[in-house]
Amino acid sequence: MGFDIISFLKEWGGHILGAFALFVSIRREFKQQDQDKINKYVRERMEQEQIPRVALDCEIHETYNSQGRKTYKLKVENKGNIDAYNVDISFESCMDNKIGGDASILPFDKLEPQHHFDMLIAPCMETPRKFKVQLLWETEDGNQDSVEKLVSW
């Protein structure tokens, strides 16, 4: 009467696989709990150390109107976590007479965090494909700041 592996697996194989699956499931649950603790700690640290800042960004989006003509929107977005005041846009000196737009909305009074405004712009024939846009703004305490961005059509 020797040890028969096939009969042993028929009788106990299901129990062994079940125990292994239970072990893997418990181990995965402990790992998930540890990861949740780490994420909670990191979130709390970020909230404690959150530095108020304004992070303005701009992009140009191409749209088509009903006649099939291209128009462009310059989207200015506040990706920071505090308000930006008196937001203004200036183009490169060589661009002053080569681009038209709705300048009546500028300077934009207040741009809240995670909000944006769009400005329609119209390039002329001599407008280069890439040019620099300078975004100017003030913070709540009156500090002026700016960022320069290279945009393209």
Side-chain angles (χ1 to χ4, degrees):
M1 276 200 79
F3 180 73
D4 187 16
I5 189 81
I6 294 176
S7 63
F8 175 78
L9 287 177
K10 281 183 182 177
E11 195 171 321
W12 293 97
H15 298 293
I16 294 170
L17 285 175
F20 180 72
L22 181 64
F23 169 75
V24 169
S25 176
I26 290 172
R27 190 179 73 177
R28 187 175 296 136
E29 182 65 30
F30 279 118
K31 281 185 176 182
Q32 183 63 42
Q33 288 175 356
D34 291 343
Q35 188 64 42
D36 290 344
K37 288 178 186 176
I38 291 170
N39 290 345
K40 182 180 176 185
Y41 174 76
V42 168
R43 231 178 292 122
E44 288 172 357
R45 290 290 300 223
M46 287 177 65
E47 288 173 2
Q48 290 172 355
E49 297 175 357
Q50 190 173 28
I51 299 170
R53 65 183 179 91
V54 174
L56 291 186
D57 192 21
C58 67
E59 297 175 345
I60 292 183
H61 299 282
E62 184 177 313
T63 58
Y64 291 93
N65 61 15
S66 60
Q67 286 88 23
R69 296 185 182 141
K70 292 181 189 176
T71 58
Y72 297 93
K73 285 184 183 179
L74 179 68
K75 178 181 177 180
V76 178
E77 182 177 9
N78 184 358
K79 294 184 178 181
N81 55 10
I82 61 173
D83 297 338
Y85 296 94
N86 297 325
V87 178
D88 202 0
I89 300 169
S90 70
F91 299 99
E92 284 181 303
S93 61
C94 66
M95 295 295 297
D96 287 340
N97 297 324
K98 294 185 176 128
I99 193 163
D102 184 15
S104 63
I105 63 170
L106 296 174
F108 200 77
D109 294 334
K110 179 181 176 182
L111 189 57
E112 296 175 349
Q114 309 309 318
H115 286 80
H116 71 275
F117 69 88
D118 293 331
M119 189 171 108
L120 291 174
I121 55 175
C124 71
M125 297 285 286
E126 300 167 358
T127 306
R129 297 284 298 163
K130 293 182 181 180
F131 57 92
K132 290 181 184 174
V133 174
Q134 186 174 22
L135 302 171
L136 309 157
W137 71 91
E138 295 177 5
T139 57
E140 193 170 12
D141 53 1
N143 293 336
Q144 293 185 346
D145 206 353
S146 66
V147 67
E148 200 170 87
K149 180 93 181 202
L150 183 68
V151 293
S152 64
W153 299 110

